[in-house]
Amino acid sequence: MHDFQYKNGELCCEDVPVRTIAQRVGTPFYVYSATTLASHFRAFDRAFGGVPHLICFAVKSNPSSALLHLLGKEGSGADIVSGGELFRALRAGIDPKKIVYAGVGKRRDEIEYALKMDILMFNVESGEELQAIDRAAGDMRTRARVALRINPNIDAKTHPYISTGLKQNKFGIAIEQALEYYQMAKGLPHVDVVGIHQHIGSQITEVQPFVDALVKTTAFVKELRAAKINIQYINIGGGLGITYKDETPPLPQELAASVRPILADCGCTIVMEPGRAIVGNAGILVTSVLYHKEAEQKKFLIVDAGMNDLIRPSLYEAYHDIRPVVQQPAAETAVADVVGPICESGDFLAKDREMPMVKQGELLAVMGAGAYGYSMSSNYNSRPRVPEILVRGGEYFVIHERETYNDLVKGEKLPRWLD
Ligand code: LLP
């Protein structure tokens, strides 16, 4: 469900024709729908209504300040994985008591920053990290609330690069060893054990992996209670998938209906960390057709957005629907690769895709680009990052300006001997 629909043959974001924005800001650009974002957040909130819960938006999926502000106002907390994400979340007014901090490689300065801000909890991923947090808290004469991220060894049945809950992944502590680590945490002088965390992967399109993981986790929570380790928060992670092509992922209420019974008698606050399910279908990338090219065995549609703007197709062979911004019912179609201007063969937005043969200068919309789109973009090939626009109703606002060539060299210096 999203608010990108054709009206009179023109793709609109809510009530704003995408073409109007293109005329104003040029291409490429990202555009997000405020209404879609808010409604996705509320869908999670409603789904877990009536039980103590906290939704911590996964900042990594889209760290835009305006989006974080919007979600913060809706009541969202934040799932962060770096000092930079903590900075962004706080700056957007998100209450530190709603911030949870995951990631296998937290640095000492990042731990200190999070302790100073008194975030809700660290999701700890190893024994050494636990000790580092305890030392930092001791040096700062404070205490750290922690959950241990356990790895339940569940196959999330998603792309191997975005699967995190299997034994061979670097994430979390194997469930078989977790009791040992909880006991270690309990013995540490500056740490309060408050929760348990799991996140088994991303773009998960069935409820079963969530159910299987939570059955293991809740059984383990009982073991912990028997060992007098009092768990107050169960963090079920993020990972709920969206429709890119023909997937039929469960809706938040379907996920909730399946997991709520498992969590019913645990007496815990349920924490969750959705990213993609909130923002994925709330954003698109808009690009212009530059050239057509016909090689011996292939047709190419060369557009002005590349893998530096949206790396998902190159990195995961991810499918993103690509639609003309102005519908062209009579246009011929052909099978083509939609490629960008980057000097890499891996620079494509679509491969062997049946596409309407839109003319030079026409606009294309790359759908479902709100999550892990701008956030994974880069300046590769010295291409300035593209602007981001937020629409609400009939209004649009540039929430992030297009970078300039000067932005590209910001912070660069010459040594004296080159002057
Ligand atoms: N919590 C933790 C601890 C995570 O590592 C992640 C995502 C999330 C929550 C949010 O997951 P989501 O609800 O968005 O699936 N770049 C990849 C996705 C990487 C996901 C990394 N972790 C992609 O473009 O598909």
Side-chain angles (χ1 to χ4, degrees), residues 57-68 85 88 374-375:
F57 174 65
V59 175
K60 66 177 84 66
S61 63
N62 192 321
S64 153
S65 298
L67 269 49
L68 293 182
E85 288 191 351
R88 280 181 175 279
Y374 192 94
S375 69

Side-chain angles (χ1 to χ4, degrees), residues 44 56-61 79-81 102-103 123 125 149 159 161-162 164 171 197-204 235 237-241 244 272-279 311-312 315-316 318 320 371-373 375-376:
F44 274 96
C56 294
F57 174 65
V59 175
K60 66 177 84 66
S61 63
D79 154 49
I80 59 159
V81 287
N123 292 326
E125 308 232 12
R149 176 172 180 175
H159 191 286
Y161 283 11
I162 53 175
T164 50
F171 297 101
H197 174 227
Q198 64 170 55
H199 169 77
I200 54 175
S202 199
Q203 184 54 15
I204 301 169
N235 185 332
L240 191 61
Y244 285 106
M272 69 209 81
E273 308 169 329
R276 189 191 316 265
I278 289 183
V279 72
I311 201 172
R312 303 194 68 257
L315 199 55
Y316 317 115
H320 285 265
Y372 308 105
S375 69
M376 293 178 82

Side-chain angles (χ1 to χ4, degrees), residues 203 242-249 281 318-321 323 351-353 367-368:
Q203 184 54 15
I242 62 170
T243 303
Y244 285 106
K245 191 181 184 186
D246 48 14
E247 308 89 334
T248 50
N281 282 336
Y319 180 98
H320 285 265
D321 194 11
R323 302 182 187 165
K351 279 228 144 148
D352 298 321
R353 185 80 59 86
M367 307 303 289

Side-chain angles (χ1 to χ4, degrees), residues 174-402:
I175 193 157
E176 298 79 13
Q177 295 175 319
L179 183 58
E180 205 181 298
Y181 284 97
Y182 266 103
Q183 260 147 359
M184 170 180 161
K186 195 179 166 199
L188 292 173
H190 311 289
V191 156
D192 293 320
V193 179
V194 295
I196 189 159
H197 174 227
Q198 64 170 55
H199 169 77
I200 54 175
S202 199
Q203 184 54 15
I204 301 169
T205 54
E206 299 164 35
V207 287
Q208 204 55 45
F210 290 104
V211 167
D212 293 347
L214 279 174
V215 165
K216 282 193 174 180
T217 303
T218 46
F220 180 59
V221 166
K222 287 200 180 118
E223 252 184 81
L224 289 174
R225 292 226 168 108
K228 304 236 160 357
I229 296 167
N230 187 22
I231 299 297
Q232 302 157 48
Y233 297 90
I234 294 192
N235 185 332
I236 68 173
L240 191 61
I242 62 170
T243 303
Y244 285 106
K245 191 181 184 186
D246 48 14
E247 308 89 334
T248 50
L251 294 170
Q253 68 257 36
E254 290 163 334
L255 174 68
S258 303
V259 302
R260 278 177 70 155
I262 306 168
L263 298 164
D265 58 0
C266 72
C268 286
T269 297
I270 304 169
V271 183
M272 69 209 81
E273 308 169 329
R276 189 191 316 265
I278 289 183
V279 72
N281 282 336
I284 62 172
L285 171 65
V286 181
T287 181
S288 300
V289 176
L290 292 175
Y291 306 109
H292 302 82
K293 182 167 167 173
E294 218 160 309
E296 216 171 279
Q297 302 185 349
K298 275 238 178 229
K299 277 195 166 70
F300 295 99
L301 210 53
I302 303 171
V303 299
D304 67 354
M307 66 188 286
N308 72 300
D309 302 308
L310 179 67
I311 201 172
R312 303 194 68 257
S314 310
L315 199 55
Y316 317 115
E317 294 183 324
Y319 180 98
H320 285 265
D321 194 11
I322 302 181
R323 302 182 187 165
V325 165
V326 178
Q327 270 178 328
Q328 331 213 330
E332 267 178 56
T333 66
V335 174
D337 284 8
V338 181
V339 301
I342 299 282
C343 295
E344 300 264 354
S345 297
D347 176 31
F348 60 88
L349 297 174
K351 279 228 144 148
D352 298 321
R353 185 80 59 86
E354 170 114 29
M355 291 287 304
M357 277 296 111
V358 284
K359 299 197 190 71
Q360 268 187 313
E362 302 255 15
L363 301 171
L364 292 175
V366 185
M367 307 303 289
Y372 308 105
Y374 192 94
S375 69
M376 293 178 82
S377 67
S378 78
N379 290 126
Y380 187 42
N381 279 201
S382 288
R383 286 163 49 83
R385 279 194 185 77
V386 306
E388 295 175 287
I389 320 299
L390 182 62
V391 168
R392 196 181 66 158
E395 281 175 35
Y396 69 93
F397 191 81
V398 179
I399 54 172
H400 199 167
E401 298 282 352
R402 188 183 300 284

